[in-house]
Amino acid sequence: MNRTRSQALFERAQKVIVGGVNSPVRAFRAVGGEPPFIKRAQGSRLFDEDDNEYIDYVGTWGPAILGHADAEVVAAVQNTVASGLSFGAPTGLEVKLAEAVIEAYPSVELLRCVSSGTEATMSAIRVARGYTGRDVLIKFEGCYHGHADHLLVKAGSGLATFGEPDSAGVPEGVARTTLTLGYNDMSGLEALFEDRGEEIAAVIVEPVAGNMGCILPREGFLEAIVALCKKHGAVSIFDEVMCGFRVARGGAQERYGVQPDLTALGKIVGGGMPLAVYGGRREIMEKIAPLGPVYQAGTLSGNPAAVVAGLTTLRRLDAPLYQRLEARGQQLETGLCSAAADAGLTACVQRVGSMITLFFGAGPIDNFADSAACDGDIFTRFHRGLLERGVYWPPSRYEAAFISGAHSEDDIAQTIAAARAALGA
Ligand code: HOZ
């Protein structure tokens, strides 16, 4: 595949942008290659600067559930921006979006719009601390909740990808307020609450983890988090930035029937634009300014172009779409399992709806240690082989892949054929 233009752009980019990219995983360093520079995207496809075409499974890291450049979403954004890009004042669109989110997430009684998933989780934790008057936060190893200081402790996503789960630049005192446990470690959680329950402000979790590959909550794990928080006066926070509106319209909390105190949403809720949401129990959310003493604000919060992209996307998330995503997910899962088995590899596929990971290790993969023990060299071979065959898979073994409503049966069949060739099946 010729990528001369992308290579030239990457060379220029590295002189002026850190690592040539505006978010670390995009640099493709973990898979030893150079990133194609993307010119446009349509449906299930990406097109790079050299006019190479790829079937896309990154989906702009989650938001593109309808596929790229969906005509209705694009038209809604175009109509809205014609009336102004940003007002820094309330709009009717924000009210409609809030109502749509609350309808899909009954645990959310009151919410706030912000501009990124990082802001949503960071603000949810601040309000949990303000509400409880406590400092300690529990997170699970390999979960990634954005790049706020207290969350860059044993984190997944880019930090796991580059082997530095704790970021430099985080004050020791801040890091010390974050305690970590293995994902799915219910007895560890119970013991920690027994030991330090009175100090714990909140437990934050990706209820379906996607930043250490796709890892499912074991039966009872989410329920244990919510129950222990309740028992000890702490706040349970589901970070559904990735799995919200993805694994079901009402996210993991609908799929598994568990209601947290607070929820963070991002990615799909903004329809591909910079928008995220945090919300939950009224009593907690009423602690936020101007109703209460916890401060949080943003010039572009509730930006009309972002809100209309999100609202138009949410209106399209109906039962037939989720059935279609499930069918395509099943097709891909079956094909990848056979490809790995026919290549004589130890591997397992973990999937919730349209969120999927092929792990090169024996399953089940229940936590970060299991995920890290999988074979990174085979993943690199798999990734490069796919890319050369026109399939754009996440460039890190710790990032989940996403299927969109625009992926056809034929797209999936082509992907499976490429995977078979890449693995030598
Ligand atoms: N943190 C994102 C993946 N989990 C990466 C975002 C990006 O590079 O765009």
Side-chain angles (χ1 to χ4, degrees), residues 22-26 60-61 144 157-158 210-211 242 267 399:
N22 283 313
S23 192
V25 185
R26 298 181 198 177
T60 185
W61 303 94
Y144 176 74
S157 188
N211 287 288
M242 197 181 266
K267 300 192 188 277
E399 300 284 356

Side-chain angles (χ1 to χ4, degrees), residues 192-327:
L192 195 49
F193 264 111
E194 281 312 316
D195 196 27
R196 300 187 63 175
E198 286 183 3
E199 296 168 68
I200 297 168
V203 178
I204 187 165
V205 66
E206 290 180 71
V208 173
N211 287 288
M212 46 180 158
C214 180
I215 297 188
L216 283 64
R218 266 196 219 144
E219 210 183 319
F221 177 55
L222 301 177
E223 288 86 344
I225 292 171
V226 171
L228 284 165
C229 282
K230 192 167 180 192
K231 181 174 167 198
H232 293 269
V235 174
S236 52
I237 306 172
F238 281 9
D239 173 356
E240 298 227 35
V241 168
M242 197 181 266
C243 58
F245 295 106
R246 167 65 63 183
V247 299
R249 186 175 162 84
Q253 49 198 272
E254 176 189 313
R255 195 160 178 132
Y256 298 106
V258 189
Q259 310 277 296
D261 294 313
L262 295 180
T263 298
L265 295 162
K267 300 192 188 277
I268 292 172
V269 79
M273 298 282 277
L275 182 116
V277 162
Y278 71 103
R281 276 173 46 209
R282 186 173 293 277
E283 188 196 350
I284 303 174
M285 292 300 288
E286 281 177 346
K287 295 286 178 214
I288 298 165
L291 301 182
V294 176
Y295 200 71
Q296 177 272 312
T299 300
L300 294 173
S301 294
N303 171 270
V307 167
V308 84
L311 192 55
T312 312
T313 301
L314 300 195
R315 286 185 178 141
R316 298 270 299 284
L317 305 181
D318 54 11
L321 175 76
Y322 288 103
Q323 281 154 17
R324 184 183 164 89
L325 291 172
E326 179 59 37

Side-chain angles (χ1 to χ4, degrees), residues 86-128:
S86 173
F87 310 125
T91 64
L93 280 172
E94 290 164 273
V95 183
K96 287 186 192 163
L97 181 79
E99 288 167 351
V101 170
I102 286 171
E103 200 192 330
Y105 290 77
S107 69
V108 177
E109 295 172 328
L110 204 56
L111 62 76
R112 253 293 158 75
C113 288
V114 290
S115 300
S116 71
T118 291
E119 262 191 273
T121 52
M122 181 183 83
S123 310
I125 289 162
R126 184 178 302 141
V127 70

